[in-house]
Amino acid sequence: MEKLSGLSHLFMTIFLHNFSTFMVIPAITDVTMTALCPGLDECSLAIYLTGFQQAIIGLGTLVMTPLVGNLSDKYGRKTLLTVPMILTIIPLGILAYSRARTFFYVYYVFKTLTAMICEGSVHCLSLAYVADNVPEGQRASSFGILSGIGSAAFVCGTLSTRFLSTASTFQVAASVAVMAAVYMRIFLPDSIADDALSVPILSKEKLNVVKSKSDGDSAPKTVQIFKPMPSFEDMLSLLKTSSIFSQAAIVAFFSSLADYYLKASFHFSKNQFADLMVITGIAGTISQLLLMPMLVPALGEEKLLSIGLFFSCAHMFLYSVAWSFWVPYVAAMFSILFVFSQPCMRSIVSKQVGSCEQGMAQGCISGICSFANVVSPLAFSPLTALFLSDDAPFDFPGFSIMCIGFASMIAFVQSMTIRAAPLISSHTVNNCNYAAV
């Protein structure tokens, strides 16, 4: 509990950041429809633009997230957290000023560019921060609490949207995003394993330092401060660290395929969409804050991961075959169980690498999830548009969601093969070779 209380500033930072990003999600649907297809109930242009944006963002984050995670191993979590949290403010500020078509396109460009760095990076770095400060045996519960904080922000953000106009929603979101960045810079202490930080990126210190040899010789010795950037080979090497890590990567890919939704295309209004998000968020918050700390010691992370993915499959299939008014709300309640999957998977990953590789490992998994986000819109956007149109080969509006459910089933089957193994991190401590300061 003492370790968790030490994470309070991180939890507040994540709450404020997620609050600002989640509260605009229901509103962005209306803004997009009004800007691109005013007066229409359906908008193929919005579907394709959203799919294209997600593909570009996915390609960017595929490269950037492992890089950011690796840099945080060398220069500190706080320094790297600053970048995405500041960039998040820009697109929110644009729509806070105006939501006219021209400003929407400006927002679209800036959102695409900034999300390549922001999307996934804050979550990746916060996971690495928790891993720095929490013993291995408590990480799954701690990751669950972190996710629960995010779910609580999800609920508060979407509830606040119900009581705000569209203009006010973006203005409040931009203000809270600024508060999150300022709070983080003032209150959040930096963290890295064994306090073995390199010189910060923003430091003005020289690249060379002079050290005296042990025999008294004062000859200068050059020490490399900035190490080479991680390469694709580094990521492949990390994936080969253990079979469990590779299995977790496969689960991450297919479960992220299943996370893809084209919510704007299924005829949900802003308020209906917000209702579904609130139900999902409340169930997820209760589950991760209350149930998960009790279930992890009893069942283990591997079994809890499989349970979460099983209910993710059931959730998708129920959505796809039943389109009455109440069924989406019942399906949303499944989130009380399928939210277990992400914290458990991240905890399993954190235990398979050394103490100085947490950022790289979490970044690698986030990069794989981002690659899935590239594949998803390319595959499911045309499929969704086709089965919602008058030219559908057969009458099944939820066919694309059923296909997503099959992707989730692959993740579930793979998770069943993951078995507990000796922790690699316990054998790789103090092997970081950090640069001397």
Side-chain angles (χ1 to χ4, degrees), residues 12 59 214 252 279 396:
M12 178 58 73
L59 285 172
S214 57
I279 293 172
F396 192 174

Side-chain angles (χ1 to χ4, degrees), residues 34-50:
T34 301
L36 300 179
C37 303
L40 298 179
D41 294 329
E42 299 180 20
C43 186
S44 296
L45 176 60
I47 292 175
Y48 283 110
L49 279 180
T50 302

